[in-house]
Every structure is written in structure tokens, then in C-alpha cells.
Amino acid sequence: MKERIEEILKYTTDTLNKIDTSAECQNLRVEILGKNGKITQLFRFMKEVSPEEKQAMGQLLNTAKQEAERMISSKEVFLQNAELEEKLMKEKIDVTLDLNQEEVGALHPISIDFMRMAEILNGMGFSQIDGPEIDYDKYNFELVNVPKDHPSRDMQDSLYITSDILLRTQTSNTQPRAMEKIKPPFKVFSFGRVFRKDEIDATHTPAFYQLEGIYIDKKVSLADLKHDLSLILKKYLGESTKTKFRASYFPFTEPSVEVDAECNVCKGKGCSACKGAGQYEILGAGMIHPRVLEMNGIDPNVYSGYAFGFGFDRFPKMRYKIPNAKVMFENDVRFIKQFK
Ligand code: PHE
């Protein structure tokens, strides 16, 4: 019996050395320890063993059974782990995407021009503020001296959301918003989209960009406005660009001015870009109306200020000779890619 046991254990070891799948381990287990397994069969001989030898034999068989199970299990666990690892390796999903590195985006021409303008204004002591594109009628109109029945509301056909909330028609909504938050003296600018009921054509879109500048301090005068605007325009449009200040009207400024610049495409001769005028209107400005200061909690006997507002789309349109205003808002990559 003892020899037979050793023989079976040796067979088990030899077979395990040749095996390389966990399924084969299971087969070997059945062969050795299953119902009709080699060791199980030996237990059946116990009946024939003499009573003196029974205990020792029993122990020997049980030890052999445990030893066989231990050897098979340890190889089986080892192979199962290896098999799992291999399976995971095969199932691995590559989540990376091979990007075409040449496809780097570009800045929108409006962003490029705005960054240039922001640098000029920062250099002159203006800091940037922001105002909402959807605003109360109060900020867009009333607090800049445009009461409900004022005729100038017709100048700016507005897109209302409710009876007192609208898409802002001008960045001048940042005037009362700035005065509400900041104590004078201050010098700020804001930039963003404004909206008016307009049919789309080559020069009109229902959304366009404006840039607003506001300066409030003791003794700010029209001379400061003229000086600062001339400087901004020289730096922005080029030293040689001719500009012209003329009297105008806005409900929130008194006196008011508009500034025309010589067309930089035809140099004043008249072309399609300036619709034959040789010049084009680039901004509205003026001394902030004392009533506006007062309505917004600033004493007009102590403080004065100026404000200016640029329509901002025109500059990149002229610089890059963009014939159609619509493309500025479509965000078509084929258009934007050209401004790298
Ligand atoms: N908000 C005016 C417009 O949209 C421009 C402007 C701004 C005029 C500031 C004067 C002062 O036409």
C-alpha cells in the first residue's frame, strides 16, 4: 500500500509538471481524488487491512490525500491567475485617440483684435469688467437716462424676453452696473455681444460686438475724452490714421460726439468697404450726463466722467477684408483656421 501511495503521489507530481491549463488540473483532481480516483480507490482496501495496521494506514492515506490536493490546488491557482491576466491583456481597450497634431485651433479674428485693444487700454490704466448679455431694462435703458417713452428706444430695436428683461442692445448697460459696484474714481472697460432686431445682410447681424470705456473722477473733461480717444485710436488703427470728432446725441452723454475714421482700405477715396464714403463711423462717446451720475448714486457736483462705445466687428472685418458679417458668428473652422 505504501509503495502504491508513493507511486500515485509521484504520478501526480509528474503530471502537474507537464500541465499548463487550470482545466487539466481539474481533470487530474478527478483522476486522483474523484469518486473513482486513484487514492479514493485505495480507501476501499482499508476493509482488508488488519486491525493493527488500520490506524497507521488510515493516517498515511489521509496525509496522501491532503498532499495530492495541496499540490493540485497550488498549481491550479497559479494557472488560473496567469489565465486571468492573459484574458485581461487581450481585452484591454485603448482609450487614447491618435490626434492629427497639425490640427491646432486658431483665435477668432474678433478675439485677436480685442486682445490688442485690451492691451492698449490696460496700458492706459483701464481695467476690464463684465456685464450680462441678458439684462434688466433698468440697466440697459432706464439708468442710462432712456425712460420707457423715450424716442431713442426706436433707434435700438430691442429683443425682449419678458416685459422688463431683454438681450442688451448696448454694452452701456455696464455703466450703471459699474457705478453700482465701484466707488469713483475708476477707469474701466467692458467687451461683449449686444443684440438688436436686424435682418442679416452683408453688414448687419442681429448680434454684434461692442466695447465700452468708462472713466469717472473729479474734473474729468471733454479734453480728457478727446485726448484719450485719439491716443487709443492712434495705437489701435495706426499713427497715420485720420480721425474726425463731430457733435452727436446720446441720451446718456452731454455733450455727445461721434468719431469717424478714414477708411483704411481706400485711404479716403471711397470704396465698397466704406460704401463710397471714404470714412466710417467707429464710435459714440461723450461726457456722462449728470442725471446718469445722479441716478446711479454719484454726486455730479463732485464727479464727472466720460464714456465711449465702439462697434467692434468692423475692425477685423476691414483688416482681414471679410466681405460678409455673417461668417463672424458661424464659427466655421474653415473660416477661423485662416487666422493662425
Ligand atoms: N451705446 C451707444 C451705442 O450703442 C454708444 C455709446 C457708448 C455712446 C457710450 C456714448 C457713450 O450706440
Side-chain angles (χ1 to χ4, degrees):
M1 170 87 84
K2 221 174 169 180
E3 280 128 52
R4 179 72 189 127
I5 288 174
E6 263 159 32
E7 213 176 277
I8 295 173
L9 289 179
K10 180 159 188 324
Y11 170 79
T12 307
T13 317
D14 290 347
T15 313
L16 281 175
N17 284 338
K18 285 182 235 152
I19 276 177
D20 51 15
T21 68
S22 62
E24 286 171 289
C25 290
Q26 180 54 23
N27 292 342
L28 183 65
R29 178 179 284 112
V30 173
E31 196 183 338
I32 308 293
L33 303 161
K35 230 180 186 176
N36 295 310
K38 288 187 162 67
I39 289 184
T40 319
Q41 273 173 12
L42 289 183
F43 276 96
R44 294 196 190 125
F45 286 112
M46 287 295 282
K47 283 186 264 163
E48 289 150 42
V49 175
S50 66
E52 307 87 68
E53 282 180 318
K54 215 167 209 156
Q55 200 190 354
M57 266 310 150
Q59 265 177 11
L60 209 62
L61 258 183
N62 272 324
T63 315
K65 188 180 157 189
Q66 282 165 13
E67 178 63 8
E69 177 55 37
R70 191 193 57 75
M71 289 194 296
I72 296 170
S73 297
S74 67
K75 178 88 184 206
E76 190 178 32
V77 169
F78 171 78
L79 287 172
Q80 275 171 347
N81 283 340
E83 281 160 7
L84 182 66
E85 207 158 295
E86 200 187 321
K87 192 170 163 225
L88 289 178
M89 286 295 282
K90 274 198 199 128
E91 280 178 5
K92 204 170 136 193
I93 299 166
D94 183 1
V95 291
T96 58
L97 178 66
D98 191 14
L99 285 174
N100 181 353
Q101 288 300 312
E102 282 163 29
E103 284 292 328
V104 178
L107 285 172
H108 194 283
I110 293 210
S111 303
I112 298 171
D113 271 37
F114 169 65
M115 281 155 76
R116 276 187 55 233
M117 179 58 102
E119 207 176 299
I120 294 168
L121 293 174
N122 283 329
M124 292 172 65
F126 288 87
S127 39
Q128 191 175 353
I129 56 162
D130 221 354
E133 289 181 349
I134 299 172
D135 208 354
Y136 291 101
D137 182 285
K138 183 175 107 175
Y139 291 103
N140 191 81
F141 286 130
E142 256 160 81
L143 289 174
V144 286
N145 200 30
V146 191
K148 286 249 175 320
D149 52 358
H150 198 283
S152 82
R153 286 207 187 196
D154 300 342
M155 282 159 51
Q156 306 186 351
D157 240 344
S158 320
L159 293 155
Y160 275 89
I161 289 169
T162 68
S163 59
D164 65 341
I165 295 175
L166 75 162
L167 299 181
R168 67 170 173 195
T169 60
Q170 48 185 357
T171 45
S172 298
N173 70 331
T174 53
Q175 290 186 30
R177 285 194 169 271
M179 292 183 232
E180 187 177 61
K181 284 219 182 75
I182 322 167
K183 289 234 166 321
F186 63 81
K187 211 170 181 183
V188 294
F189 70 99
S190 81
F191 172 73
R193 270 184 303 184
V194 302
F195 307 84
R196 291 180 198 179
K197 256 187 232 162
D198 240 335
E199 294 300 321
I200 299 178
D201 64 23
T203 51
H204 293 88
T205 47
F208 55 98
Y209 285 88
Q210 279 194 341
L211 183 135
E212 189 96 359
I214 309 159
Y215 175 33
I216 300 178
D217 200 347
K218 291 174 183 162
K219 297 196 184 99
V220 177
S221 70
L222 191 63
D224 293 310
L225 173 64
K226 191 154 189 250
H227 168 269
D228 290 0
L229 272 179
S230 305
L231 195 62
I232 293 167
L233 292 170
K234 274 207 161 63
K235 288 190 186 213
Y236 186 68
L237 298 174
E239 285 293 328
S240 61
T241 311
K242 292 196 187 97
T243 51
K244 192 167 75 190
F245 286 67
R246 59 184 162 77
S248 184
Y249 169 78
F250 297 102
F252 30 90
T253 46
E254 180 58 37
S256 302
V257 294
E258 270 178 303
V259 180
D260 299 327
E262 187 183 79
C263 175
N264 59 0
V265 176
C266 62
K267 297 276 172 238
K269 287 192 200 82
C271 67
S272 61
C274 57
K275 292 184 186 153
Q279 60 183 23
Y280 53 96
E281 180 200 315
I282 50 175
L283 67 90
M287 300 306 295
I288 299 174
H289 199 297
R291 238 185 89 65
V292 172
L293 293 174
E294 202 169 10
M295 276 194 288
N296 292 287
I298 294 172
D299 185 350
N301 297 314
V302 181
Y303 290 102
S304 55
Y306 69 60
F308 57 82
F310 281 88
F312 210 76
D313 309 60
R314 177 177 292 130
F315 302 115
K317 268 187 79 187
M318 304 215 55
R319 185 192 317 282
Y320 302 112
K321 301 198 167 62
I322 299 165
N324 196 323
K326 211 172 95 186
V327 293
M328 303 285 263
F329 285 89
E330 288 173 332
N331 267 350
D332 186 328
V333 282
R334 289 167 303 179
F335 168 68
I336 297 173
K337 256 185 353 201
Q338 302 172 86
F339 300 97
K340 279 183 191 165

